[in-house]
Amino acid sequence: MTTTETAPGALAAVVRTPGHSLPGPLYAGEEAYRTDLEAVFGRSWLFVATEPEIAEPGDFITVDIGRRSVILIRDDDMSVRAFHNVCRHRGSRLLDACSGSTGNIVCPYHQWTYDTEGHLLHAESSGPDLDRAALSLRPVHVRPVAGLIFICLAAEPSADFDDYAATVSPYLAPHRLAQAKVATQIDIIEDGNWKLVMENNRECTHCGGHPELIKSLFPVYGYQPEDISPRLRPAFERYSAAHREFTATCDELGMLWRANEQLDTRQTGFRIEREPLDMAGESFTADGRRACRKLLADFPTARLGRLSMHVQPNAWFHALADHAVTFSVLPIAPDKSLLRTTWLVHKDAVEGRDYELDSLTHVWRLTNDQDRTFVARAHRGVSDPAYVPGPYLAPEYQVDAFCTWYADRLAEYRAAAGV
Ligand code: FES
Ligand SMILES: [Fe+2]
């Protein structure tokens, strides 16, 4: 394990310099990891799944967040429910599988049985005095947003999630994510702290390391014209021309494209923007053409680039005309993180006829793997006693926004906890 330790309780004295990467103990220390699980993952709205993963009544997935486990299940009325994966009898873990389908939730220990709404239906040998109504599964706050499922483990979640949902839903709606099907889902374990995984996503100054991705993605996102180097000038000029045509098309079709630049310090920090893609402009492929013949989005043309969204603390998304790809990051250890990538296509698209899984996933499988190497390299570096925080450059403003958001959450948590 590659970690950086502080004396117990000393984390409160670790201060971030604005505009700079975080101090080493905040990336790689055990205390920071435990604090993050409470201050960030215990309080924020987290992206954990897509609705197509639990399409039918009884379909469930389980999600582990630190020592907590959460069941997400589709109930008989087709609503999405979330419960702590803890039996109300003597606390046994209920569901072990990562995903599956069940009529009722039956505890493997003494067979207490709950319905998909969490009600206790059956407890063997319980007398008439057992107050079943008081022994339902403990709910977790859950909100589907245009097919994306978010949960919040806090007793009282932040209300600004309503504003987030209202803002992004019109952007996402034409992509019909709730009606999609999962083409595939791939989990990888990154050898780095979850914050380094997120930081790496929030900038494209390393995109030269993604030769497959930058065939279709203009490697200039986050850049202002004055920051463009001679190396990036041709891509920037192509991007500028494509952007003019793209926004005119969007305006003609009445589609939202303007950036919501609210990747800010509110609890639900987010950013959403529709951007053109290079070449054919349709999808993340070698020639920019669609990877699935049957379009997922309700679009008259596939040449509508990518709708990209960042949500703090743990997610990013790309919704295209032909498919969508979602990314969620969950901490496993100070130096281990789960990156879950899910590819969604039209529910009637047929593998082998409308798409090939290998070509659909090619770019982001390779890109994720390349990023895994960058993140592991960064984690080793920030764990070195010689590491001192360095400055973020102008095209890294979204990385700075992430770290500022994170520092604010730590400050809020400490103020509330009196530490
Ligand atoms: S702990 Fe679940 S039935 Fe006893
Ligand atoms: Fe990357």
mmCIF file of all heavy atoms in Angstrom, residues 200-201 203-204 206-207 209-210 213 364 367-368 370-372 374, ligand 2:
data_model
loop_
_atom_site.group_PDB
_atom_site.id
_atom_site.type_symbol
_atom_site.label_atom_id
_atom_site.label_comp_id
_atom_site.label_asym_id
_atom_site.label_seq_id
_atom_site.Cartn_x
_atom_site.Cartn_y
_atom_site.Cartn_z
ATOM 1 N N ASN A 200 -7.718 13.598 -12.758
ATOM 2 C CA ASN A 200 -7.241 13.202 -14.082
ATOM 3 C C ASN A 200 -8.325 13.373 -15.137
ATOM 4 O O ASN A 200 -8.059 13.739 -16.280
ATOM 5 C CB ASN A 200 -6.772 11.745 -14.019
ATOM 6 C CG ASN A 200 -6.323 11.234 -15.359
ATOM 7 O OD1 ASN A 200 -5.313 11.685 -15.878
ATOM 8 N ND2 ASN A 200 -7.076 10.313 -15.941
ATOM 9 N N ASN A 201 -9.578 13.148 -14.717
ATOM 10 C CA ASN A 201 -10.676 13.321 -15.675
ATOM 11 C C ASN A 201 -10.958 14.776 -15.974
ATOM 12 O O ASN A 201 -11.534 15.101 -17.026
ATOM 13 C CB ASN A 201 -11.948 12.665 -15.129
ATOM 14 C CG ASN A 201 -13.171 13.121 -15.910
ATOM 15 O OD1 ASN A 201 -13.934 13.978 -15.454
ATOM 16 N ND2 ASN A 201 -13.308 12.611 -17.116
ATOM 17 N N GLU A 203 -9.239 17.324 -16.751
ATOM 18 C CA GLU A 203 -8.407 18.117 -17.655
ATOM 19 C C GLU A 203 -7.996 17.280 -18.853
ATOM 20 O O GLU A 203 -8.018 16.044 -18.789
ATOM 21 C CB GLU A 203 -7.164 18.685 -16.943
ATOM 22 C CG GLU A 203 -6.384 17.679 -16.106
ATOM 23 C CD GLU A 203 -5.307 16.931 -16.853
ATOM 24 O OE1 GLU A 203 -5.120 17.201 -18.043
ATOM 25 O OE2 GLU A 203 -4.672 16.048 -16.245
ATOM 26 N N CYS A 204 -7.633 17.991 -19.926
ATOM 27 C CA CYS A 204 -7.232 17.295 -21.153
ATOM 28 C C CYS A 204 -5.805 17.682 -21.534
ATOM 29 O O CYS A 204 -5.386 17.491 -22.660
ATOM 30 C CB CYS A 204 -8.203 17.631 -22.283
ATOM 31 S SG CYS A 204 -8.281 16.389 -23.592
ATOM 32 N N HIS A 206 -3.366 16.189 -20.597
ATOM 33 C CA HIS A 206 -2.624 14.929 -20.780
ATOM 34 C C HIS A 206 -3.185 14.121 -21.955
ATOM 35 O O HIS A 206 -2.804 12.962 -22.128
ATOM 36 C CB HIS A 206 -2.705 14.079 -19.497
ATOM 37 C CG HIS A 206 -4.066 13.488 -19.250
ATOM 38 N ND1 HIS A 206 -5.079 14.157 -18.607
ATOM 39 C CD2 HIS A 206 -4.578 12.290 -19.588
ATOM 40 C CE1 HIS A 206 -6.139 13.392 -18.556
ATOM 41 N NE2 HIS A 206 -5.878 12.250 -19.149
ATOM 42 N N CYS A 207 -4.075 14.729 -22.747
ATOM 43 C CA CYS A 207 -4.778 13.937 -23.769
ATOM 44 C C CYS A 207 -3.862 13.432 -24.887
ATOM 45 O O CYS A 207 -4.271 12.553 -25.666
ATOM 46 C CB CYS A 207 -5.956 14.717 -24.351
ATOM 47 S SG CYS A 207 -7.405 14.665 -23.271
ATOM 48 N N GLY A 209 -1.721 11.506 -24.358
ATOM 49 C CA GLY A 209 -1.569 10.103 -23.953
ATOM 50 C C GLY A 209 -2.748 9.241 -24.337
ATOM 51 O O GLY A 209 -2.805 8.068 -23.948
ATOM 52 N N HIS A 210 -3.700 9.810 -25.073
ATOM 53 C CA HIS A 210 -4.902 9.061 -25.485
ATOM 54 C C HIS A 210 -5.037 9.103 -27.012
ATOM 55 O O HIS A 210 -5.928 9.773 -27.561
ATOM 56 C CB HIS A 210 -6.156 9.680 -24.868
ATOM 57 C CG HIS A 210 -6.212 9.613 -23.380
ATOM 58 N ND1 HIS A 210 -5.917 8.470 -22.664
ATOM 59 C CD2 HIS A 210 -6.575 10.548 -22.455
ATOM 60 C CE1 HIS A 210 -6.072 8.714 -21.374
ATOM 61 N NE2 HIS A 210 -6.465 9.959 -21.221
ATOM 62 N N LEU A 213 -8.551 8.244 -28.318
ATOM 63 C CA LEU A 213 -9.607 9.195 -27.956
ATOM 64 C C LEU A 213 -9.544 10.466 -28.795
ATOM 65 O O LEU A 213 -10.571 10.978 -29.257
ATOM 66 C CB LEU A 213 -9.501 9.535 -26.461
ATOM 67 C CG LEU A 213 -10.518 10.542 -25.930
ATOM 68 C CD1 LEU A 213 -11.940 9.976 -26.012
ATOM 69 C CD2 LEU A 213 -10.203 10.940 -24.493
ATOM 70 N N TRP A 364 -12.921 3.944 -25.113
ATOM 71 C CA TRP A 364 -12.878 4.202 -23.668
ATOM 72 C C TRP A 364 -12.237 3.068 -22.882
ATOM 73 O O TRP A 364 -11.721 3.292 -21.786
ATOM 74 C CB TRP A 364 -14.269 4.567 -23.127
ATOM 75 C CG TRP A 364 -14.519 6.022 -23.390
ATOM 76 C CD1 TRP A 364 -15.338 6.565 -24.338
ATOM 77 C CD2 TRP A 364 -13.884 7.133 -22.723
ATOM 78 N NE1 TRP A 364 -15.266 7.941 -24.305
ATOM 79 C CE2 TRP A 364 -14.386 8.313 -23.327
ATOM 80 C CE3 TRP A 364 -12.953 7.246 -21.691
ATOM 81 C CZ2 TRP A 364 -13.968 9.593 -22.914
ATOM 82 C CZ3 TRP A 364 -12.544 8.512 -21.287
ATOM 83 C CH2 TRP A 364 -13.059 9.666 -21.898
ATOM 84 N N THR A 367 -8.708 4.204 -23.320
ATOM 85 C CA THR A 367 -8.497 5.470 -22.607
ATOM 86 C C THR A 367 -8.479 5.238 -21.099
ATOM 87 O O THR A 367 -7.620 5.783 -20.387
ATOM 88 C CB THR A 367 -9.601 6.474 -22.998
ATOM 89 O OG1 THR A 367 -9.552 6.664 -24.418
ATOM 90 C CG2 THR A 367 -9.409 7.812 -22.311
ATOM 91 N N ASN A 368 -9.414 4.442 -20.606
ATOM 92 C CA ASN A 368 -9.416 4.132 -19.167
ATOM 93 C C ASN A 368 -8.113 3.475 -18.745
ATOM 94 O O ASN A 368 -7.579 3.751 -17.664
ATOM 95 C CB ASN A 368 -10.575 3.181 -18.828
ATOM 96 C CG ASN A 368 -11.909 3.901 -18.718
ATOM 97 O OD1 ASN A 368 -11.968 5.129 -18.680
ATOM 98 N ND2 ASN A 368 -12.982 3.133 -18.676
ATOM 99 N N GLN A 370 -5.176 3.755 -20.188
ATOM 100 C CA GLN A 370 -4.107 4.765 -20.205
ATOM 101 C C GLN A 370 -4.210 5.659 -18.965
ATOM 102 O O GLN A 370 -3.197 5.989 -18.319
ATOM 103 C CB GLN A 370 -4.211 5.586 -21.493
ATOM 104 C CG GLN A 370 -3.883 4.779 -22.742
ATOM 105 C CD GLN A 370 -4.664 5.213 -23.970
ATOM 106 O OE1 GLN A 370 -5.476 6.146 -23.925
ATOM 107 N NE2 GLN A 370 -4.428 4.533 -25.083
ATOM 108 N N ASP A 371 -5.455 6.055 -18.628
ATOM 109 C CA ASP A 371 -5.634 6.896 -17.439
ATOM 110 C C ASP A 371 -5.230 6.157 -16.167
ATOM 111 O O ASP A 371 -4.714 6.760 -15.223
ATOM 112 C CB ASP A 371 -7.096 7.360 -17.336
ATOM 113 C CG ASP A 371 -7.390 8.524 -18.266
ATOM 114 O OD1 ASP A 371 -6.474 9.323 -18.532
ATOM 115 O OD2 ASP A 371 -8.544 8.645 -18.730
ATOM 116 N N ARG A 372 -5.498 4.853 -16.140
ATOM 117 C CA ARG A 372 -5.113 4.042 -14.973
ATOM 118 C C ARG A 372 -3.608 4.166 -14.732
ATOM 119 O O ARG A 372 -3.155 4.287 -13.588
ATOM 120 C CB ARG A 372 -5.499 2.579 -15.243
ATOM 121 C CG ARG A 372 -5.357 1.649 -14.068
ATOM 122 C CD ARG A 372 -5.886 0.261 -14.438
ATOM 123 N NE ARG A 372 -5.203 -0.300 -15.589
ATOM 124 C CZ ARG A 372 -3.996 -0.854 -15.567
ATOM 125 N NH1 ARG A 372 -3.352 -0.936 -14.424
ATOM 126 N NH2 ARG A 372 -3.433 -1.327 -16.656
ATOM 127 N N PHE A 374 -1.684 6.730 -15.684
ATOM 128 C CA PHE A 374 -1.395 8.090 -15.198
ATOM 129 C C PHE A 374 -1.721 8.232 -13.711
ATOM 130 O O PHE A 374 -0.972 8.846 -12.944
ATOM 131 C CB PHE A 374 -2.224 9.122 -15.984
ATOM 132 C CG PHE A 374 -1.767 9.328 -17.405
ATOM 133 C CD1 PHE A 374 -2.683 9.308 -18.451
ATOM 134 C CD2 PHE A 374 -0.434 9.556 -17.709
ATOM 135 C CE1 PHE A 374 -2.270 9.508 -19.765
ATOM 136 C CE2 PHE A 374 -0.014 9.760 -19.015
ATOM 137 C CZ PHE A 374 -0.937 9.731 -20.048
HETATM 138 FE FE FE B 2 -7.314 10.846 -19.578
#
